[in-house]
Amino acid sequence: MRVYKFGGASVRDADGVRNLREIVAQSSDDLMVVISAMGKTTNALERVMAALAQGDEQKAEQEWLGVFDHHVYVMQALGLQPNVDVRLPLMPAYNTEWSYDQNYDQIVSLGEILSTQIVAVFLLKSGIPTEWWNMPKLLRTDATYREAQVDWQHSAQVIRVGWDRTARPRVVVTQGFIGGTEEGLRTTLGREGSDYTAALLGNFLDAESVTIWKDVPGILNADPRKQADTIKIDQLSYHDAVELAYSGAQVIHPKTIRPLENKKIPLYVKPFGNPLAEGSIICENAQPVTVPVYIWRENQILITMRAKDFAFVLEESLSHIFEIIHRHHLTVSLVQSSAVTISVCVDNNRFVERAINELQDAYLVTWNDNLRLLTIRGTTPEILKKEQENRTILLSQTTRRTARLVITHE
Ligand code: ASP
Ligand code: MG
């Protein structure tokens, strides 16, 4: 069996869903099809959520109608009947007994529930025997809402049993990005988490391969929105893929590689607009990458800690600082230390302020936000010189082959 994953862009409209159908119909293997919310639905549901939390019913209603209308429109364009073929949910209410994050997961997860129901019904009605699976009942997670941790063992067992019972030929359509707690509440695995779901399902079911269908020809050496003349990387090792994802490359979610590497399952990244194209493959024995790879990581904050009494920071403080960073769910993108300071670059998120507050109890803390981190793998002195020109660089770290520059916004 194989796992196919379609992101939001590939199912944003009726043409996208029809294209998905073609790709599924061409497979002679059993398929587990993992799907994201349609287009920018997750962002829209985040706005519904924010409005509800602020008590702005009118704004919430308006955003909800936008989501609702889009799904009605797609269904009609596919010849499906809204509320007959797929029941559309009513606008969810905010439960004041729950935390923001707990509410968030119940509401934002609706995007995937809807997209998968629409796709499953469409496939079924167009002659492909399809089962719809509800991941919140199958992929068991803890209750860390918005960053839920998957219980691999429990989930693998339930999912294997389900798969064995599925009628053949098997096409199962299910949601990426979401799971559920033992108590039956929905959880989400972190934004852009559908790739991770696909990798987990591949691992649990010992898939022959996992394919991520995207709106790019494969894995490119730079983001085509930021750089002209990109080059496709045909093969990538798991190791390089992790480095790339960790540096901020948007191609795959960083958590995707581990479940696949564990079982040596190859990961294909292919263009959904051209299913026969070769795309890129991430696998065990890949050819080394020979082109320089440029990876931008946006919205960074550089935090520098200095000991209050000029003590030697490094020895005593490293583990203390990282414990605080970890506890506040910050993602570190770069670390640099000197005798008396430690600097970390982290993704700027909603937890940063609290972390800085706590760090200030023990250290003199300074920070710069609104920064970008550029990682160049396979760099040369010429490339580095060119990238440094006309830029304000707050920090740079270079090894023989890799350069990392923390840059202010031009
Ligand atoms: N729909 C979710 C998001 O946009 C998950 C995903 O696309 O992978 O974050
Ligand atoms: Mg998405």
Side-chain angles (χ1 to χ4, degrees):
M1 62 85 56
R2 296 180 195 270
V3 178
Y4 280 2
K5 182 255 165 172
F6 294 88
S10 45
V11 290
R12 79 176 147 228
D13 53 20
D15 280 345
V17 176
R18 283 192 205 100
N19 182 51
L20 175 152
R21 187 201 175 277
E22 288 314 302
I23 293 175
V24 167
Q26 270 157 30
S27 166
S28 48
D29 298 293
D30 292 338
L31 288 183
M32 173 66 80
V33 182
V34 177
I35 302 178
S36 299
M38 290 181 170
K40 301 265 179 249
T41 301
T42 307
N43 294 349
L45 289 171
E46 282 190 340
R47 293 194 297 271
V48 173
M49 176 60 205
L52 283 174
Q54 284 160 9
D56 190 343
E57 285 282 329
Q58 211 182 336
K59 170 101 195 317
E61 184 102 29
Q62 185 194 338
E63 292 287 356
W64 176 259
L65 279 180
V67 172
F68 189 89
D69 285 350
H70 180 70
H71 287 86
V72 166
Y73 177 77
V74 173
M75 286 186 77
Q76 285 169 340
L78 290 169
L80 301 174
Q81 258 182 288
N83 280 329
V84 176
D85 291 314
V86 173
R87 266 194 85 75
L88 291 156
L90 299 173
M91 187 174 87
Y94 190 93
N95 184 336
T96 50
E97 279 166 26
W98 290 347
S99 70
Y100 183 95
D101 289 354
Q102 195 166 357
N103 275 288
Y104 175 104
D105 279 4
Q106 309 320 305
I107 293 173
V108 167
S109 54
L110 291 173
E112 268 72 9
I113 305 267
L114 265 173
S115 66
T116 52
Q117 285 180 331
I118 293 171
V119 170
V121 172
F122 178 72
L123 292 182
L124 198 59
K125 289 209 159 191
S126 64
I128 299 178
T130 304
E131 273 190 28
W132 177 83
W133 281 15
N134 187 27
M135 272 300 131
K137 294 265 178 295
L138 304 167
L139 193 74
R140 169 73 59 82
T141 73
D142 67 5
T144 318
Y145 296 100
R146 296 180 76 176
E147 282 296 336
Q149 302 298 311
V150 174
D151 178 340
W152 284 40
Q153 234 183 345
H154 180 93
S155 309
Q157 210 210 333
V158 175
I159 286 165
R160 274 184 208 131
V161 170
W163 182 254
D164 288 341
R165 284 194 193 135
T166 308
R168 292 162 203 243
R170 295 178 282 204
V171 175
V172 170
V173 167
T174 196
Q175 311 83 40
F177 174 57
I178 71 176
T181 63
E182 197 175 346
E183 290 72 37
L185 287 180
R186 291 195 291 269
T187 53
T188 64
L189 311 180
R191 285 301 308 265
E192 307 302 329
S194 298
D195 294 350
Y196 178 47
T197 306
L200 284 171
L201 295 177
N203 176 300
F204 299 162
L205 297 173
D206 292 302
E208 243 167 274
S209 68
V210 173
T211 304
I212 297 180
W213 297 93
K214 285 189 75 90
D215 53 356
V216 284
I219 296 177
L220 304 176
N221 76 324
D223 185 336
R225 288 164 300 186
K226 293 183 180 144
Q227 205 162 313
D229 305 330
T230 55
I231 303 165
K232 180 166 76 76
I233 302 169
D234 297 337
Q235 298 190 6
L236 209 60
S237 66
Y238 293 117
H239 179 102
D240 283 344
V242 169
E243 291 267 9
L244 227 74
Y246 173 79
S247 309
Q250 299 281 315
V251 268
I252 25 171
H253 191 277
K255 283 165 105 176
T256 312
I257 302 302
R258 188 174 142 225
L260 301 175
E261 197 273 339
N262 278 183
K263 291 201 168 169
K264 308 287 177 247
I265 298 169
L267 174 69
Y268 294 92
V269 177
K270 290 191 181 220
F272 63 73
N274 186 8
L276 296 177
E278 214 186 315
S280 302
I281 178 172
I282 297 168
C283 59
E284 178 73 346
N285 295 311
Q287 302 292 327
V289 178
T290 51
V291 292
V293 182
Y294 298 79
I295 306 145
W296 287 96
R297 193 156 169 149
E298 302 290 344
N299 202 12
Q300 299 294 294
I301 174 163
L302 179 67
I303 309 173
T304 300
M305 274 80 50
R306 185 183 288 274
K308 280 187 171 163
D309 56 2
F310 289 97
F312 188 59
V313 181
L314 203 52
E315 272 169 9
E316 295 96 46
S317 310
L318 214 48
S319 62
H320 178 233
I321 288 172
F322 276 94
E323 188 274 318
I324 294 174
I325 284 174
H326 179 73
R327 190 152 33 75
H328 287 279
H329 307 284
L330 302 190
T331 310
V332 177
S333 49
L334 180 145
V335 183
Q336 185 141 308
S337 62
S338 76
V340 291
T341 65
I342 295 173
S343 296
V344 293
C345 211
V346 298
D347 293 349
N348 198 353
N349 63 20
R350 63 192 187 283
F351 305 118
V352 166
E353 205 179 303
R354 270 181 278 167
I356 289 181
N357 281 340
E358 195 174 335
L359 289 165
Q360 279 175 324
D361 292 341
Y363 309 97
L364 297 169
V365 184
T366 51
W367 65 92
N368 290 76
D369 60 5
N370 203 19
L371 304 175
R372 324 168 72 193
L373 172 64
L374 171 62
T375 302
I376 311 166
R377 292 173 55 78
T379 190
T380 61
E382 296 75 51
I383 291 176
L384 190 56
K385 187 159 170 278
K386 183 163 169 276
E387 292 303 327
Q388 282 171 325
E389 263 163 29
N390 305 322
R391 284 189 166 137
T392 309
I393 295 172
L394 295 191
L395 192 155
S396 74
Q397 229 175 46
T398 52
T399 58
R400 206 164 49 81
R401 299 275 294 145
T402 303
R404 318 191 71 201
L405 307 173
V406 178
I407 302 171
T408 59
H409 252 284
E410 285 106 72

